[in-house]
Amino acid sequence: MTPIEKRLPDVTDRHQLFFIVSTFYDAVRQDAELGPIFNEIITEWDEHLEKITDFWAMHLFGTKAYTGNPVLAHQLVDQQQQESITPYHFGTWLFYWLQTINTHFEGPNAEILKDKSRKMQTILYMKIFEYRKKKKQ
Ligand code: HEM
Ligand code: HEM
């Protein structure tokens, strides 16, 4: 008997991205370490999910709806958390992001979403670290 080949779709539209973002946040909000941070800072969740979907649509499809400053946003999150954000938080964040994508999608765009998030976490953490140092000068 030949095994049934299970194929997942690739991410080709904003609707699928919104699904990824929402499913990802469902997990993040229940995480013991990340959950309290996100649940404390973000109050308008509908708005946040649309904004993050726009952010990823920009990086995947080149759409222009996103207007924000993610670097500053995370520097301020770290200040709000008494400079306690570590690479461990980013590792956990990435775990849920990769897991969500891998569970539901596969293909070139799914790979792009995963690759970019890996690059982004390094940049974001470095920017948080720079901000802390600058504050102390
Ligand atoms: C308002 C803020 C931002 C705008 C307008 C923006 C826009 C763009 C555009 C137009 C591209 C090229 C198209 C593409 O390859 O998808 C790009 C790529 C990229 N951006 Fe952003 N971006 C923003 C914020 C960020 C931030 C905060 C990070 C990191 C934390 C980031 C990380 C990346 C990475 C890793 C790539 C892909 C480069 C590669 O393929 O190696 N972006 N961005
Ligand atoms: C590669 C990893 C990450 C990416 C790509 C990412 C991306 C983003 C983006 C695009 C925003 C919206 C910024 C804006 O326009 O206002 C945001 C907001 C936020 N992020 Fe992240 N994030 C990452 C990791 C994290 C981690 C590890 C934490 C916490 C430990 C975090 C906590 C937050 C919070 C609390 C907000 C809301 C800020 C506010 O609305 O004031 N993020 N993130």
Side-chain angles (χ1 to χ4, degrees):
M1 200 179 97
T2 45
I4 299 165
E5 205 177 310
K6 187 167 152 270
R7 280 193 177 262
L8 296 172
D10 199 0
V11 188
T12 52
D13 62 32
R14 191 182 186 282
H15 181 79
Q16 290 165 318
L17 266 184
F18 184 82
F19 170 80
I20 293 174
V21 170
S22 313
T23 309
F24 161 77
Y25 274 114
D26 285 346
V28 164
R29 293 183 72 180
Q30 288 177 48
D31 181 80
E33 272 137 339
L34 292 185
I37 302 174
F38 282 89
N39 290 320
E40 187 187 336
I41 297 176
I42 299 163
T43 49
E44 301 297 330
W45 275 95
D46 289 349
E47 225 173 82
H48 184 75
L49 297 182
E50 295 292 343
K51 179 160 74 172
I52 299 298
T53 304
D54 285 340
F55 175 79
W56 285 107
M58 174 176 75
H59 283 93
L60 191 56
F61 308 128
T63 52
K64 300 228 159 59
Y66 178 77
T67 52
N69 187 341
V71 168
L72 182 61
H74 293 88
Q75 288 166 334
L76 297 180
V77 168
D78 180 60
Q79 289 303 309
Q80 200 264 2
Q81 296 294 312
Q82 286 81 42
E83 304 192 347
S84 66
I85 303 299
T86 66
Y88 187 79
H89 291 96
F90 279 92
T92 310
W93 188 105
L94 197 65
F95 169 79
Y96 290 121
W97 185 248
L98 301 183
Q99 189 189 51
T100 306
I101 295 168
N102 286 337
T103 305
H104 300 284
F105 297 96
E106 64 186 5
N109 281 353
E111 291 306 313
I112 290 174
L113 284 180
K114 292 187 275 179
D115 286 345
K116 286 197 176 158
S117 66
R118 291 190 191 96
K119 290 179 186 162
M120 286 177 185
Q121 60 153 359
T122 315
I123 299 169
L124 283 178
Y125 186 70
M126 196 184 69
K127 291 288 174 190
I128 287 177
F129 198 73
E130 278 175 13
Y131 191 84
R132 284 183 200 166
K133 292 200 85 167
K134 214 169 85 196
K135 276 207 81 202
K136 290 187 179 74
Q137 276 165 9

